[in-house]
Amino acid sequence: AAAGGLFGAEGLTVTTNIANGSPDAIARVAAGTSDFALVDINALMRFRDKDKQGSARIKAVFVLFNKAPYSIIARKSRGIRALSDIEGKHLGVAEGDLSIRLWPAVAKQNGIKAASVKQSSISPAVREPMLSAGQIDAVTGFSYLSAINLRDRGVPADDLAVLKFADYGCEAYGAAIIVNPSLAAAKPEAVKGFLRATVAGLHLVVKDPERAATEVASRAEGGNRDLELERLRSILRDNILTGEVRRNGLGGIDPERFERSIDQIAEDFKFEKRPQGSDIFDDQFLPPL
């Protein structure tokens, strides 16, 4: 998602629009057509490294997903119960999928022969249907999406193995808020206000997830409130309210962990110049703990 708007003395007047994935959202913020966007922070690193123009100064100012939701979702009936079982299996990878970008680091860390895993590039629209039909053994995706979508298609929950990369040594952060650098320089109080509103919204969601899921379902064509509530509870548990967040607060990073996550990205992505954590994340706009 991308956001823009006018900043008045009484507060923020925000309009929202939907971007076509993280690269599109980052490009909009770089161009100044959006002031803020929610993007994958690892996609931001790759985008900045290749685009030396408008994106070079963009930084994340708030991390929403303390743990990235990258996962392999597999059928136990196809012989996959743990990550080590993936060797020799057939893995479906949807076009534009972000999980596969961290797979080389996770495979290396767990002693898995990645070359033994057959990979097929597939359309996102057929990812769950192909797995439910047994045409492939597993797929990469986000833990809160594919697994719940598959159960909605009738695949028994006890036949699904959701192998979250975070449980196998992946240190990556996930979705984060980025801001246009010109706006951040000219109106830092507006950025701080946007983050205060984000934190306030998160507190409301944690307090009343049922209402939040109802809101989301009402805005999505064909939205299913029960599915959205299950997704939300999964995200809160696995990605947002982690042990690190409970210790250190919402929105920030652990600098040493962040540096290790950049090294893991480098297993698959050849940086022209490896960034430092401070090149990617700026904590000066965060509210007090």
Side-chain angles (χ1 to χ4, degrees):
L6 300 174
F7 305 92
E10 73 285 351
L12 307 182
T13 302
V14 179
T15 58
T16 60
N17 54 79
I18 303 301
N20 184 26
S22 287
D24 180 37
I26 296 166
R28 293 187 191 199
V29 172
T33 54
S34 291
D35 296 311
F36 302 91
L38 184 66
V39 305
D40 185 287
I41 198 169
N42 309 295
L44 173 64
M45 295 181 207
R46 293 187 285 263
F47 195 100
R48 278 179 45 125
D49 190 68
K50 296 302 182 186
D51 177 15
K52 301 305 181 185
Q53 303 302 315
S55 72
R57 294 185 298 125
I58 293 176
K59 295 184 180 183
V61 292
F62 186 94
V63 171
L64 179 64
F65 282 8
N66 180 264
K67 288 184 179 180
Y70 307 145
S71 302
I72 286 175
I73 298 91
R75 300 283 298 273
K76 294 178 183 177
S77 56
R78 307 285 291 189
I80 305 173
R81 293 178 175 271
L83 199 62
S84 57
D85 298 327
I86 199 71
E87 290 188 355
K89 300 297 185 181
H90 189 179
L91 181 66
V93 180
E95 298 158 6
D97 176 71
L98 296 171
S99 300
I100 196 63
R101 309 297 287 273
L102 268 295
W103 168 238
V106 173
K108 180 179 179 180
Q109 189 158 352
N110 290 273
I112 293 171
K113 299 174 183 175
S116 72
V117 182
K118 179 183 177 181
Q119 291 187 23
S120 293
S121 179
I122 58 178
S123 164
V126 301
R127 174 169 44 193
E128 287 83 17
M130 287 184 69
L131 185 58
S132 64
Q135 295 172 278
I136 48 182
D137 302 312
V139 297
T140 55
F142 287 178
S143 56
Y144 61 85
L145 286 177
S146 290
I148 293 172
N149 291 347
L150 284 161
R151 292 204 295 275
D152 190 45
R153 295 184 64 86
V155 177
D158 59 5
D159 189 33
L160 289 175
V162 182
L163 309 173
K164 297 187 280 286
F165 288 3
D167 293 340
Y168 289 91
C170 180
E171 302 222 55
Y173 291 87
I177 295 173
I178 62 173
V179 62
N180 178 275
S182 297
L183 172 69
K187 298 184 177 179
E189 291 307 314
V191 179
K192 292 179 181 179
F194 190 90
L195 297 190
R196 286 197 302 272
T198 299
V199 171
L202 276 172
H203 280 297
L204 289 172
V205 169
V206 172
K207 183 178 179 180
D208 193 354
E210 291 83 1
R211 179 182 173 187
T214 300
E215 288 277 353
V216 169
S218 70
R219 300 182 193 190
E221 184 177 347
N224 183 309
R225 186 256 190 192
D226 291 339
L227 282 181
E228 295 305 333
L229 181 58
E230 186 177 1
R231 269 191 248 282
L232 176 57
R233 284 177 168 154
S234 173
I235 290 169
L236 290 173
R237 179 186 67 245
D238 297 334
N239 309 117
I240 296 179
L241 300 180
T242 66
E244 184 177 302
V245 165
R246 293 186 184 280
R247 290 190 302 273
N248 302 332
L250 291 161
I253 61 165
D254 176 292
E256 293 182 359
R257 174 189 158 191
F258 196 43
E259 293 293 340
R260 292 194 298 270
S261 77
I262 296 173
D263 289 336
Q264 291 182 338
I265 291 170
E267 290 287 340
D268 174 71
F269 183 83
K270 303 304 178 187
F271 286 109
E272 291 185 18
K273 180 183 179 182
R274 182 200 181 280
Q276 299 299 306
S278 58
D279 298 327
I280 304 298
F281 183 78
D282 185 352
D283 67 0
Q284 69 171 305
F285 303 103
L286 290 173
L289 177 63

